[in-house]
């Protein structure tokens, strides 16, 4: 059947094949200005699953992830505070230190979530020369105009501007989607470059057109893609919130600068809510992965929770459903542990069925159902672990040598009817997360976490 993906630009499920030998993927990454909450990791977990699915199909992937470490304004338009400046003020450090601090946080968390590392992790501040070249190109092609506060993209020059997000430009209210200023020619026009006024506090600055300034926030993605992958790429990913402004503007900029389509496929994931409400500081529900850990849940439990649903659905997070995901993960590990300890009867072709499910627009929920309903061989479990990236097996061999020594010791103690020692060993194993179950066939171990 091959791989089918829902393409936002056509609003259809389409057969997917890369245009060249390698699947070129770009993921809009985080703005690194504050502690990430669990919602921020949803997209990266889904796109990690996308890459793993493509690889399970034998495809080669080149994936680029950007880190927005430069002037990204709080609003989607071109006004409001700069997020990094806000972070610097809040924490009493420089914007550069804010970026360093949160880049490290994100990359550490990515490791804990077992995300496959991107082939290129691109920091926006490393692409300023490309940004400037792109603005020059857009200008030479007649797509921009200058105002007192920046260089703006004239959306009326790009006839397909409204198509991607199906925007109703004539009904666009000033201030509703983007801020309107007297100097803007059309309400939808956006800054590709912002000037810094003498009175303005803005630490990150580069000289262009004889004055200090910084790039508009959509530009970094067009520039990074142009340099690292080349248009058109095969798949561009992001959250649904990126459709009306950020991705619409990336498409326009790439077309204006290079005369090319940006991406063949566009994938967008929906938002997660917590207890039915949006994630927000004022509601006190901006849980981080560390907050989950403090409540006894590993990042892998959260990943299992995410993959138990579909990337296009609005997901509602509760701690009860997270507990169910944790239970599922432990159950899968115990099934694997059992496979390591004895010959378990298995069904044929289970992984092929799982792959067929996920090839249908990344239906990880359906894959989970198949895993629940089938008996998997150890070989199938290894493939499942690779596909889901849940570290189900990765830890098992580490545990193996240690626990088998203890298991043997315990068996010897039991045979010598030294139950005090055998209980001691049981307790010791328990502190290592291993529970012993005595069965008619002898003792078997399970993960006790
Ligand atoms: P923020 O830093 O809050 O603007 O979030 C950065 C990105 O994380 C957004 O553009 C979204 O794509 C994603 N994101 C934020 N909140 C959520 C959520 N509740 N569910 C899923 N993704 C989210
Ligand atoms: Zn982007």
């Amino acid at each position: 059947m091959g791989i089918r993906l829902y393409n936002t630009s056509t609003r259809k499920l389409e057969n997917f094949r890369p245009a060249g030998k390698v699947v070129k993927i770009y993921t809009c990454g985080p703005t690194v200005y504050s502690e990430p909450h669990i919602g921020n990791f949803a997209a990266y977990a889904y796109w990690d699953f996308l890459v793993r699915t493509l690889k399970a199909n034998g495809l080669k992937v080149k994936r680029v992830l950007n880190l927005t470490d430069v002037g990204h304004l709080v609003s989607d338009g071109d006004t409001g505070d700069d997020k990094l400046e806000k972070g610097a003020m809040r924490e009493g450090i420089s914007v550069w230190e804010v970026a360093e601090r949160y880049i490290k946080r994100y990359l550490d968390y990515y490791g804990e979530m077992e995300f496959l590392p991107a082939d290129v992790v691109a920091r926006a501040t490393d692409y300023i020369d490309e940004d400037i070249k792109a603005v020059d190109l857009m200008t030479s092609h007649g797509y921009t105009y200058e105002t007192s506060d920046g260089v703006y993209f004239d959306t009326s020059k790009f006839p397909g501007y409204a198509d991607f997000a199906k925007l109703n430009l004539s009904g666009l209210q000033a201030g509703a989607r983007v801020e309107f200023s007297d100097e803007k020619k059309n309400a939808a026009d956006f800054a590709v470059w912002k000037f810094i006024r003498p009175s303005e506090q803005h630490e990150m600055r580069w000289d262009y057109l004889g004055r200090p300034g910084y790039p508009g926030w959509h530009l970094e993605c067009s520039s990074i893609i142009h340099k690292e992958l080349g248009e058109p790429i095969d798949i561009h990913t992001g959250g649904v919130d990126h459709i009306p402004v950020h991705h619409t503007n990336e498409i326009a900029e790439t077309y204006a600068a290079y005369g090319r389509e940006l991406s063949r496929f566009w994938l967008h994931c929906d938002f997660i809510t917590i207890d039915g409400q949006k994630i927000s500081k004022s509601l006190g529900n901006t849980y981080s992965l560390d907050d989950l850990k403090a409540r006894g849940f590993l990042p892998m439990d959260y990943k299992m929770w995410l993959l138990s649903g579909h990337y296009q659905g609005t997901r509602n997070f509760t701690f009860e459903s997270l507990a169910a995901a944790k239970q599922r993960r432990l159950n899968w590990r115990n099934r694997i542990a059992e496979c390591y300890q004895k010959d378990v009867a298995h069904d044929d072709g289970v992984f092929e069925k799982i792959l067929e499910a996920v090839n249908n627009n990344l239906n990880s929920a359906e894959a989970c159902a198949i895993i629940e309903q089938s008996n998997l061989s150890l070989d199938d479990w290894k493939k499942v672990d690779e596909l889901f990236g849940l570290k189900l097996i990765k830890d098992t061999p580490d545990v193996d040598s240690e626990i088998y020594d203890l298991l043997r010791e315990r068996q010897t103690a039991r045979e010598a009817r030294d139950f005090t020692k055998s209980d001691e060993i049981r307790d010791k194993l328990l502190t290592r997360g291993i529970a012993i179950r005595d069965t008619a066939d002898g003792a078997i171990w399970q993960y006790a976490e």
Side-chain angles (χ1 to χ4, degrees):
M1 185 179 89
I3 304 166
R4 287 161 70 74
L5 297 172
Y6 184 85
N7 191 351
T8 305
S9 66
T10 57
R11 306 289 197 274
K12 280 193 189 116
L13 260 183
E14 291 180 37
N15 292 324
F16 173 78
R17 263 194 220 97
K21 290 200 177 106
V22 174
V23 186
K24 298 195 280 182
I25 303 185
Y26 183 82
T27 297
C28 286
T31 306
V32 285
Y33 70 106
S34 65
E35 177 70 15
H37 58 68
I38 56 173
N40 296 127
F41 290 102
Y44 309 116
Y46 294 132
W47 310 140
D48 182 63
F49 189 68
L50 165 70
V51 171
R52 288 172 182 274
T53 299
L54 296 169
K55 289 191 168 176
N57 281 277
L59 293 168
K60 285 201 173 61
V61 174
K62 180 170 182 189
R63 177 161 176 249
V64 178
L65 168 83
N66 75 308
L67 299 170
T68 301
D69 60 348
V70 62
H72 169 354
L73 303 183
V74 171
S75 83
D76 261 347
D78 300 305
T79 58
D81 298 328
D82 178 299
K83 287 188 176 181
L84 274 111
E85 294 282 349
K86 257 183 98 165
M89 218 112 83
R90 182 186 63 229
E91 300 182 24
I93 52 179
S94 75
V95 281
W96 303 97
E97 287 165 329
V98 168
E100 284 308 320
R101 177 174 291 178
Y102 291 106
I103 284 173
K104 184 166 182 330
R105 292 296 280 160
Y106 266 99
L107 296 181
D108 285 351
Y109 278 140
Y110 286 170
E112 288 184 43
M113 290 288 283
E114 280 288 300
F115 294 151
L116 295 173
D119 300 281
V120 179
V121 178
R123 295 168 68 141
T125 46
D126 290 335
Y127 294 82
I128 302 296
D129 288 347
E130 282 74 21
D131 292 341
I132 288 174
K133 275 185 225 153
V135 179
D136 282 343
L137 281 171
M138 286 185 246
T139 302
S140 70
H141 299 154
Y143 284 92
T144 67
Y145 59 93
E146 215 175 298
T147 71
S148 59
D149 78 336
V151 180
Y152 278 76
F153 190 102
D154 185 344
T155 51
S156 68
K157 297 274 168 62
F158 181 46
Y161 183 77
D163 296 351
F164 183 70
K166 307 218 179 309
L167 298 174
N168 174 6
L169 291 183
S170 57
L172 193 66
Q173 292 293 309
R177 172 177 165 278
V178 283
E179 299 294 324
F180 198 77
S181 84
D182 286 347
E183 292 184 82
K184 269 174 39 166
K185 292 186 182 169
N186 313 285
D189 293 355
F190 58 94
V192 292
W193 190 266
K194 289 278 276 184
F195 298 135
I196 300 171
R197 294 196 174 90
S199 60
E200 223 176 312
Q201 159 66 23
H202 204 281
E203 233 179 301
M204 283 192 184
R205 50 179 64 208
W206 293 268
D207 275 334
Y208 178 48
L209 302 174
R211 353 179 6 184
Y214 58 97
W217 82 277
H218 321 292
L219 193 53
E220 65 187 70
C221 295
S222 311
S223 298
I224 293 167
I225 289 172
H226 185 67
K227 177 146 186 220
E228 303 296 347
L229 293 166
E231 313 82 7
I233 59 169
D234 294 295
I235 307 175
H236 195 310
T237 65
V240 282
D241 56 319
H242 290 144
I243 299 171
V245 181
H246 183 53
H247 288 168
T248 289
N249 292 352
E250 277 183 35
I251 290 168
E253 287 167 338
T254 296
Y255 187 81
Y258 314 113
R260 307 197 67 156
E261 177 194 21
L262 181 53
S263 181
R264 299 170 52 235
F265 277 72
W266 290 82
L267 266 60
H268 292 97
C269 62
D270 215 323
F271 269 42
I272 68 162
T273 54
I274 296 186
D275 294 323
Q277 291 181 297
K278 73 180 244 211
I279 302 179
S280 98
K281 283 217 172 74
S282 56
L283 293 171
N285 63 2
T286 50
Y287 301 121
S288 68
L289 289 180
D290 280 349
D291 292 331
L292 299 193
K293 279 190 236 164
R295 292 176 182 233
F297 297 102
L298 296 181
M300 288 301 109
D301 297 322
Y302 179 56
K303 191 175 194 182
M304 179 63 111
W305 179 82
L306 286 165
L307 296 178
S308 297
H310 192 253
Y311 76 96
Q312 284 185 300
T314 314
R315 308 284 315 285
N316 185 39
F317 176 93
T318 60
F319 278 100
E320 290 75 38
S321 62
L322 183 62
K326 174 175 175 172
Q327 205 44 54
R328 170 174 272 180
R329 184 179 66 81
L330 293 179
N331 180 35
W332 287 10
R333 288 186 81 176
N334 283 335
R335 287 169 64 187
I336 292 168
E338 202 180 354
C339 285
Y340 268 104
Q341 295 171 78
K342 59 178 195 175
D343 279 336
V344 180
H346 62 263
D347 304 318
D348 288 330
V350 180
F351 190 73
E352 286 68 25
K353 272 202 240 167
I354 292 168
L355 197 57
E356 203 177 313
V358 300
N359 280 352
N360 184 20
N361 198 25
L362 309 180
N363 198 338
S364 51
E366 170 72 19
C368 288
I370 294 168
I371 294 167
E372 296 297 342
Q373 290 152 17
S374 319
N375 293 310
L376 281 75
S377 65
L378 191 52
D379 201 40
D380 277 348
W381 276 119
K382 286 180 179 164
K383 291 180 189 158
V384 164
D385 204 19
E386 199 58 43
L387 179 63
F388 278 76
L390 283 169
K391 256 174 96 175
L392 297 167
I393 298 185
K394 207 169 166 186
D395 283 348
T396 307
D398 303 345
V399 174
D400 250 355
S401 55
E402 293 170 36
I403 62 159
Y404 278 119
D405 284 349
L406 287 167
L407 278 170
R408 265 192 298 275
E409 260 182 64
R410 180 172 176 272
Q411 190 59 24
T412 311
R414 276 173 67 83
E415 278 160 18
R417 306 191 67 75
D418 184 350
F419 295 115
T420 314
K421 181 160 186 203
S422 116
D423 285 351
E424 259 172 37
I425 296 173
R426 175 195 295 257
D427 291 346
K428 195 165 173 187
L429 283 162
L430 204 53
T431 62
R432 309 210 64 126
I434 299 295
I436 307 279
R437 203 154 54 85
D438 289 306
T439 72
D441 299 333
I444 61 166
W445 60 266
Q446 295 188 307
Y447 290 100
E449 266 173 273

